[in-house]
mmCIF file with all atom_site columns, all heavy atoms in Angstrom:
data_model
loop_
_atom_site.group_PDB
_atom_site.id
_atom_site.type_symbol
_atom_site.label_atom_id
_atom_site.label_alt_id
_atom_site.label_comp_id
_atom_site.label_asym_id
_atom_site.label_entity_id
_atom_site.label_seq_id
_atom_site.pdbx_PDB_ins_code
_atom_site.Cartn_x
_atom_site.Cartn_y
_atom_site.Cartn_z
_atom_site.occupancy
_atom_site.B_iso_or_equiv
_atom_site.pdbx_formal_charge
_atom_site.auth_seq_id
_atom_site.auth_comp_id
_atom_site.auth_asym_id
_atom_site.auth_atom_id
_atom_site.pdbx_PDB_model_num
ATOM 1   N N   . THR A 1 72 ? -6.445  -10.276 -26.781 1.00 0.00 ? 345 THR A N   1
ATOM 2   C CA  . THR A 1 72 ? -5.136  -10.783 -27.205 1.00 0.00 ? 345 THR A CA  1
ATOM 3   C C   . THR A 1 72 ? -4.000  -9.863  -26.715 1.00 0.00 ? 345 THR A C   1
ATOM 4   O O   . THR A 1 72 ? -3.568  -9.942  -25.569 1.00 0.00 ? 345 THR A O   1
ATOM 5   C CB  . THR A 1 72 ? -5.063  -10.947 -28.738 1.00 0.00 ? 345 THR A CB  1
ATOM 6   O OG1 . THR A 1 72 ? -5.332  -9.692  -29.378 1.00 0.00 ? 345 THR A OG1 1
ATOM 7   C CG2 . THR A 1 72 ? -6.119  -11.954 -29.210 1.00 0.00 ? 345 THR A CG2 1
ATOM 8   N N   . HIS A 1 73 ? -3.526  -8.977  -27.596 1.00 0.00 ? 346 HIS A N   1
ATOM 9   C CA  . HIS A 1 73 ? -2.298  -8.222  -27.361 1.00 0.00 ? 346 HIS A CA  1
ATOM 10  C C   . HIS A 1 73 ? -2.476  -6.932  -26.565 1.00 0.00 ? 346 HIS A C   1
ATOM 11  O O   . HIS A 1 73 ? -1.499  -6.225  -26.321 1.00 0.00 ? 346 HIS A O   1
ATOM 12  C CB  . HIS A 1 73 ? -1.616  -7.886  -28.680 1.00 0.00 ? 346 HIS A CB  1
ATOM 13  C CG  . HIS A 1 73 ? -2.560  -7.354  -29.718 1.00 0.00 ? 346 HIS A CG  1
ATOM 14  N ND1 . HIS A 1 73 ? -3.324  -6.203  -29.544 1.00 0.00 ? 346 HIS A ND1 1
ATOM 15  C CD2 . HIS A 1 73 ? -2.875  -7.846  -30.945 1.00 0.00 ? 346 HIS A CD2 1
ATOM 16  C CE1 . HIS A 1 73 ? -4.056  -6.000  -30.635 1.00 0.00 ? 346 HIS A CE1 1
ATOM 17  N NE2 . HIS A 1 73 ? -3.815  -6.966  -31.477 1.00 0.00 ? 346 HIS A NE2 1
ATOM 18  N N   . GLY A 1 74 ? -3.674  -6.624  -26.144 1.00 0.00 ? 347 GLY A N   1
ATOM 19  C CA  . GLY A 1 74 ? -3.900  -5.448  -25.335 1.00 0.00 ? 347 GLY A CA  1
ATOM 20  C C   . GLY A 1 74 ? -4.421  -4.248  -26.079 1.00 0.00 ? 347 GLY A C   1
ATOM 21  O O   . GLY A 1 74 ? -4.989  -3.333  -25.482 1.00 0.00 ? 347 GLY A O   1
ATOM 22  N N   . TYR A 1 75 ? -4.222  -4.210  -27.385 1.00 0.00 ? 348 TYR A N   1
ATOM 23  C CA  . TYR A 1 75 ? -4.685  -3.070  -28.200 1.00 0.00 ? 348 TYR A CA  1
ATOM 24  C C   . TYR A 1 75 ? -6.057  -3.349  -28.837 1.00 0.00 ? 348 TYR A C   1
ATOM 25  O O   . TYR A 1 75 ? -6.548  -2.541  -29.606 1.00 0.00 ? 348 TYR A O   1
ATOM 26  C CB  . TYR A 1 75 ? -3.643  -2.702  -29.229 1.00 0.00 ? 348 TYR A CB  1
ATOM 27  C CG  . TYR A 1 75 ? -2.377  -2.148  -28.595 1.00 0.00 ? 348 TYR A CG  1
ATOM 28  C CD1 . TYR A 1 75 ? -1.201  -2.910  -28.521 1.00 0.00 ? 348 TYR A CD1 1
ATOM 29  C CD2 . TYR A 1 75 ? -2.375  -0.895  -28.028 1.00 0.00 ? 348 TYR A CD2 1
ATOM 30  C CE1 . TYR A 1 75 ? -0.065  -2.420  -27.916 1.00 0.00 ? 348 TYR A CE1 1
ATOM 31  C CE2 . TYR A 1 75 ? -1.231  -0.391  -27.412 1.00 0.00 ? 348 TYR A CE2 1
ATOM 32  C CZ  . TYR A 1 75 ? -0.078  -1.150  -27.367 1.00 0.00 ? 348 TYR A CZ  1
ATOM 33  O OH  . TYR A 1 75 ? 1.040   -0.668  -26.754 1.00 0.00 ? 348 TYR A OH  1
ATOM 34  N N   . ASP A 1 76 ? -6.647  -4.486  -28.527 1.00 0.00 ? 349 ASP A N   1
ATOM 35  C CA  . ASP A 1 76 ? -8.008  -4.800  -28.912 1.00 0.00 ? 349 ASP A CA  1
ATOM 36  C C   . ASP A 1 76 ? -8.887  -4.689  -27.658 1.00 0.00 ? 349 ASP A C   1
ATOM 37  O O   . ASP A 1 76 ? -9.461  -5.660  -27.192 1.00 0.00 ? 349 ASP A O   1
ATOM 38  C CB  . ASP A 1 76 ? -8.086  -6.201  -29.535 1.00 0.00 ? 349 ASP A CB  1
ATOM 39  C CG  . ASP A 1 76 ? -7.494  -7.287  -28.658 1.00 0.00 ? 349 ASP A CG  1
ATOM 40  O OD1 . ASP A 1 76 ? -6.673  -6.945  -27.761 1.00 0.00 ? 349 ASP A OD1 1
ATOM 41  O OD2 . ASP A 1 76 ? -7.851  -8.450  -28.817 1.00 0.00 ? 349 ASP A OD2 1
ATOM 42  N N   . THR A 1 77 ? -8.991  -3.485  -27.139 1.00 0.00 ? 350 THR A N   1
ATOM 43  C CA  . THR A 1 77 ? -9.580  -3.248  -25.819 1.00 0.00 ? 350 THR A CA  1
ATOM 44  C C   . THR A 1 77 ? -11.001 -3.735  -25.731 1.00 0.00 ? 350 THR A C   1
ATOM 45  O O   . THR A 1 77 ? -11.843 -3.455  -26.590 1.00 0.00 ? 350 THR A O   1
ATOM 46  C CB  . THR A 1 77 ? -9.517  -1.756  -25.470 1.00 0.00 ? 350 THR A CB  1
ATOM 47  O OG1 . THR A 1 77 ? -8.208  -1.256  -25.751 1.00 0.00 ? 350 THR A OG1 1
ATOM 48  C CG2 . THR A 1 77 ? -9.823  -1.546  -23.996 1.00 0.00 ? 350 THR A CG2 1
ATOM 49  N N   . THR A 1 78 ? -11.312 -4.421  -24.641 1.00 0.00 ? 351 THR A N   1
ATOM 50  C CA  . THR A 1 78 ? -12.649 -4.889  -24.329 1.00 0.00 ? 351 THR A CA  1
ATOM 51  C C   . THR A 1 78 ? -13.345 -3.956  -23.349 1.00 0.00 ? 351 THR A C   1
ATOM 52  O O   . THR A 1 78 ? -14.534 -3.679  -23.480 1.00 0.00 ? 351 THR A O   1
ATOM 53  C CB  . THR A 1 78 ? -12.580 -6.300  -23.713 1.00 0.00 ? 351 THR A CB  1
ATOM 54  O OG1 . THR A 1 78 ? -12.031 -7.198  -24.688 1.00 0.00 ? 351 THR A OG1 1
ATOM 55  C CG2 . THR A 1 78 ? -13.943 -6.777  -23.270 1.00 0.00 ? 351 THR A CG2 1
ATOM 56  N N   . ASP A 1 79 ? -12.583 -3.458  -22.368 1.00 0.00 ? 352 ASP A N   1
ATOM 57  C CA  . ASP A 1 79 ? -13.153 -2.594  -21.336 1.00 0.00 ? 352 ASP A CA  1
ATOM 58  C C   . ASP A 1 79 ? -12.044 -1.707  -20.806 1.00 0.00 ? 352 ASP A C   1
ATOM 59  O O   . ASP A 1 79 ? -11.133 -2.187  -20.134 1.00 0.00 ? 352 ASP A O   1
ATOM 60  C CB  . ASP A 1 79 ? -13.768 -3.444  -20.221 1.00 0.00 ? 352 ASP A CB  1
ATOM 61  C CG  . ASP A 1 79 ? -14.499 -2.642  -19.162 1.00 0.00 ? 352 ASP A CG  1
ATOM 62  O OD1 . ASP A 1 79 ? -14.363 -1.391  -19.155 1.00 0.00 ? 352 ASP A OD1 1
ATOM 63  O OD2 . ASP A 1 79 ? -15.217 -3.237  -18.359 1.00 0.00 ? 352 ASP A OD2 1
ATOM 64  N N   . HIS A 1 80 ? -12.154 -0.403  -21.077 1.00 0.00 ? 353 HIS A N   1
ATOM 65  C CA  . HIS A 1 80 ? -11.134 0.543   -20.642 1.00 0.00 ? 353 HIS A CA  1
ATOM 66  C C   . HIS A 1 80 ? -11.152 0.797   -19.122 1.00 0.00 ? 353 HIS A C   1
ATOM 67  O O   . HIS A 1 80 ? -10.229 1.413   -18.595 1.00 0.00 ? 353 HIS A O   1
ATOM 68  C CB  . HIS A 1 80 ? -11.303 1.900   -21.335 1.00 0.00 ? 353 HIS A CB  1
ATOM 69  C CG  . HIS A 1 80 ? -10.981 1.878   -22.803 1.00 0.00 ? 353 HIS A CG  1
ATOM 70  N ND1 . HIS A 1 80 ? -11.938 1.608   -23.761 1.00 0.00 ? 353 HIS A ND1 1
ATOM 71  C CD2 . HIS A 1 80 ? -9.825  2.109   -23.464 1.00 0.00 ? 353 HIS A CD2 1
ATOM 72  C CE1 . HIS A 1 80 ? -11.373 1.697   -24.957 1.00 0.00 ? 353 HIS A CE1 1
ATOM 73  N NE2 . HIS A 1 80 ? -10.091 1.979   -24.815 1.00 0.00 ? 353 HIS A NE2 1
ATOM 74  N N   . TYR A 1 81 ? -12.180 0.353   -18.470 1.00 0.00 ? 354 TYR A N   1
ATOM 75  C CA  . TYR A 1 81 ? -12.293 0.581   -17.014 1.00 0.00 ? 354 TYR A CA  1
ATOM 76  C C   . TYR A 1 81 ? -11.852 -0.626  -16.206 1.00 0.00 ? 354 TYR A C   1
ATOM 77  O O   . TYR A 1 81 ? -11.855 -0.571  -14.977 1.00 0.00 ? 354 TYR A O   1
ATOM 78  C CB  . TYR A 1 81 ? -13.741 0.912   -16.646 1.00 0.00 ? 354 TYR A CB  1
ATOM 79  C CG  . TYR A 1 81 ? -14.242 2.247   -17.171 1.00 0.00 ? 354 TYR A CG  1
ATOM 80  C CD1 . TYR A 1 81 ? -15.056 2.294   -18.310 1.00 0.00 ? 354 TYR A CD1 1
ATOM 81  C CD2 . TYR A 1 81 ? -13.924 3.432   -16.543 1.00 0.00 ? 354 TYR A CD2 1
ATOM 82  C CE1 . TYR A 1 81 ? -15.521 3.484   -18.801 1.00 0.00 ? 354 TYR A CE1 1
ATOM 83  C CE2 . TYR A 1 81 ? -14.388 4.646   -17.007 1.00 0.00 ? 354 TYR A CE2 1
ATOM 84  C CZ  . TYR A 1 81 ? -15.188 4.677   -18.151 1.00 0.00 ? 354 TYR A CZ  1
ATOM 85  O OH  . TYR A 1 81 ? -15.643 5.866   -18.637 1.00 0.00 ? 354 TYR A OH  1
ATOM 86  N N   . ARG A 1 82 ? -11.448 -1.661  -16.845 1.00 0.00 ? 355 ARG A N   1
ATOM 87  C CA  . ARG A 1 82 ? -11.116 -2.909  -16.163 1.00 0.00 ? 355 ARG A CA  1
ATOM 88  C C   . ARG A 1 82 ? -9.684  -3.350  -16.453 1.00 0.00 ? 355 ARG A C   1
ATOM 89  O O   . ARG A 1 82 ? -9.245  -3.349  -17.600 1.00 0.00 ? 355 ARG A O   1
ATOM 90  C CB  . ARG A 1 82 ? -12.091 -4.022  -16.625 1.00 0.00 ? 355 ARG A CB  1
ATOM 91  C CG  . ARG A 1 82 ? -11.895 -5.337  -15.919 1.00 0.00 ? 355 ARG A CG  1
ATOM 92  C CD  . ARG A 1 82 ? -12.795 -6.398  -16.565 1.00 0.00 ? 355 ARG A CD  1
ATOM 93  N NE  . ARG A 1 82 ? -12.684 -7.700  -15.894 1.00 0.00 ? 355 ARG A NE  1
ATOM 94  C CZ  . ARG A 1 82 ? -13.007 -8.851  -16.445 1.00 0.00 ? 355 ARG A CZ  1
ATOM 95  N NH1 . ARG A 1 82 ? -13.504 -8.880  -17.688 1.00 0.00 ? 355 ARG A NH1 1
ATOM 96  N NH2 . ARG A 1 82 ? -12.858 -9.982  -15.774 1.00 0.00 ? 355 ARG A NH2 1
ATOM 97  N N   . ILE A 1 83 ? -8.936  -3.668  -15.402 1.00 0.00 ? 356 ILE A N   1
ATOM 98  C CA  . ILE A 1 83 ? -7.580  -4.238  -15.593 1.00 0.00 ? 356 ILE A CA  1
ATOM 99  C C   . ILE A 1 83 ? -7.742  -5.599  -16.222 1.00 0.00 ? 356 ILE A C   1
ATOM 100 O O   . ILE A 1 83 ? -8.636  -6.390  -15.876 1.00 0.00 ? 356 ILE A O   1
ATOM 101 C CB  . ILE A 1 83 ? -6.844  -4.339  -14.237 1.00 0.00 ? 356 ILE A CB  1
ATOM 102 C CG1 . ILE A 1 83 ? -6.605  -2.956  -13.642 1.00 0.00 ? 356 ILE A CG1 1
ATOM 103 C CG2 . ILE A 1 83 ? -5.535  -5.077  -14.391 1.00 0.00 ? 356 ILE A CG2 1
ATOM 104 C CD1 . ILE A 1 83 ? -5.698  -2.057  -14.457 1.00 0.00 ? 356 ILE A CD1 1
ATOM 105 N N   . ASP A 1 84 ? -6.863  -5.899  -17.191 1.00 0.00 ? 357 ASP A N   1
ATOM 106 C CA  . ASP A 1 84 ? -6.933  -7.182  -17.858 1.00 0.00 ? 357 ASP A CA  1
ATOM 107 C C   . ASP A 1 84 ? -6.823  -8.310  -16.837 1.00 0.00 ? 357 ASP A C   1
ATOM 108 O O   . ASP A 1 84 ? -5.858  -8.354  -16.067 1.00 0.00 ? 357 ASP A O   1
ATOM 109 C CB  . ASP A 1 84 ? -5.793  -7.307  -18.878 1.00 0.00 ? 357 ASP A CB  1
ATOM 110 C CG  . ASP A 1 84 ? -5.975  -8.412  -19.867 1.00 0.00 ? 357 ASP A CG  1
ATOM 111 O OD1 . ASP A 1 84 ? -6.207  -9.545  -19.427 1.00 0.00 ? 357 ASP A OD1 1
ATOM 112 O OD2 . ASP A 1 84 ? -5.898  -8.153  -21.089 1.00 0.00 ? 357 ASP A OD2 1
ATOM 113 N N   . PRO A 1 85 ? -7.801  -9.218  -16.790 1.00 0.00 ? 358 PRO A N   1
ATOM 114 C CA  . PRO A 1 85 ? -7.774  -10.283 -15.771 1.00 0.00 ? 358 PRO A CA  1
ATOM 115 C C   . PRO A 1 85 ? -6.548  -11.184 -15.900 1.00 0.00 ? 358 PRO A C   1
ATOM 116 O O   . PRO A 1 85 ? -6.185  -11.871 -14.929 1.00 0.00 ? 358 PRO A O   1
ATOM 117 C CB  . PRO A 1 85 ? -9.074  -11.049 -16.019 1.00 0.00 ? 358 PRO A CB  1
ATOM 118 C CG  . PRO A 1 85 ? -9.519  -10.666 -17.387 1.00 0.00 ? 358 PRO A CG  1
ATOM 119 C CD  . PRO A 1 85 ? -9.008  -9.286  -17.621 1.00 0.00 ? 358 PRO A CD  1
ATOM 120 N N   . ARG A 1 86 ? -5.893  -11.198 -17.076 1.00 0.00 ? 359 ARG A N   1
ATOM 121 C CA  . ARG A 1 86 ? -4.658  -11.950 -17.210 1.00 0.00 ? 359 ARG A CA  1
ATOM 122 C C   . ARG A 1 86 ? -3.532  -11.326 -16.378 1.00 0.00 ? 359 ARG A C   1
ATOM 123 O O   . ARG A 1 86 ? -2.516  -11.969 -16.061 1.00 0.00 ? 359 ARG A O   1
ATOM 124 C CB  . ARG A 1 86 ? -4.219  -12.055 -18.667 1.00 0.00 ? 359 ARG A CB  1
ATOM 125 C CG  . ARG A 1 86 ? -5.177  -12.873 -19.521 1.00 0.00 ? 359 ARG A CG  1
ATOM 126 C CD  . ARG A 1 86 ? -4.817  -12.752 -21.012 1.00 0.00 ? 359 ARG A CD  1
ATOM 127 N NE  . ARG A 1 86 ? -4.997  -11.403 -21.503 1.00 0.00 ? 359 ARG A NE  1
ATOM 128 C CZ  . ARG A 1 86 ? -4.678  -10.984 -22.731 1.00 0.00 ? 359 ARG A CZ  1
ATOM 129 N NH1 . ARG A 1 86 ? -4.086  -11.853 -23.576 1.00 0.00 ? 359 ARG A NH1 1
ATOM 130 N NH2 . ARG A 1 86 ? -4.888  -9.748  -23.131 1.00 0.00 ? 359 ARG A NH2 1
ATOM 131 N N   . LEU A 1 87 ? -3.711  -10.023 -16.035 1.00 0.00 ? 360 LEU A N   1
ATOM 132 C CA  . LEU A 1 87 ? -2.722  -9.312  -15.243 1.00 0.00 ? 360 LEU A CA  1
ATOM 133 C C   . LEU A 1 87 ? -3.137  -9.217  -13.769 1.00 0.00 ? 360 LEU A C   1
ATOM 134 O O   . LEU A 1 87 ? -2.266  -9.240  -12.886 1.00 0.00 ? 360 LEU A O   1
ATOM 135 C CB  . LEU A 1 87 ? -2.521  -7.892  -15.789 1.00 0.00 ? 360 LEU A CB  1
ATOM 136 C CG  . LEU A 1 87 ? -1.959  -7.786  -17.211 1.00 0.00 ? 360 LEU A CG  1
ATOM 137 C CD1 . LEU A 1 87 ? -1.953  -6.327  -17.667 1.00 0.00 ? 360 LEU A CD1 1
ATOM 138 C CD2 . LEU A 1 87 ? -0.547  -8.354  -17.256 1.00 0.00 ? 360 LEU A CD2 1
ATOM 139 N N   . GLY A 1 88 ? -4.421  -9.054  -13.537 1.00 0.00 ? 361 GLY A N   1
ATOM 140 C CA  . GLY A 1 88 ? -4.888  -8.902  -12.166 1.00 0.00 ? 361 GLY A CA  1
ATOM 141 C C   . GLY A 1 88 ? -6.155  -8.101  -12.076 1.00 0.00 ? 361 GLY A C   1
ATOM 142 O O   . GLY A 1 88 ? -7.045  -8.218  -12.919 1.00 0.00 ? 361 GLY A O   1
ATOM 143 N N   . ASP A 1 89 ? -6.181  -7.208  -11.097 1.00 0.00 ? 362 ASP A N   1
ATOM 144 C CA  . ASP A 1 89 ? -7.414  -6.428  -10.861 1.00 0.00 ? 362 ASP A CA  1
ATOM 145 C C   . ASP A 1 89 ? -7.053  -5.042  -10.386 1.00 0.00 ? 362 ASP A C   1
ATOM 146 O O   . ASP A 1 89 ? -5.882  -4.648  -10.339 1.00 0.00 ? 362 ASP A O   1
ATOM 147 C CB  . ASP A 1 89 ? -8.324  -7.149  -9.883  1.00 0.00 ? 362 ASP A CB  1
ATOM 148 C CG  . ASP A 1 89 ? -7.622  -7.507  -8.562  1.00 0.00 ? 362 ASP A CG  1
ATOM 149 O OD1 . ASP A 1 89 ? -6.656  -6.778  -8.179  1.00 0.00 ? 362 ASP A OD1 1
ATOM 150 O OD2 . ASP A 1 89 ? -8.028  -8.484  -7.908  1.00 0.00 ? 362 ASP A OD2 1
#
Side-chain angles (χ1 to χ4, degrees):
T345 60
H346 46 59
Y348 293 106
D349 53 339
T350 313
T351 297
D352 186 348
H353 290 91
Y354 292 100
R355 183 186 181 201
I356 296 296
D357 195 308
R359 294 172 294 175
L360 296 175
D362 54 27

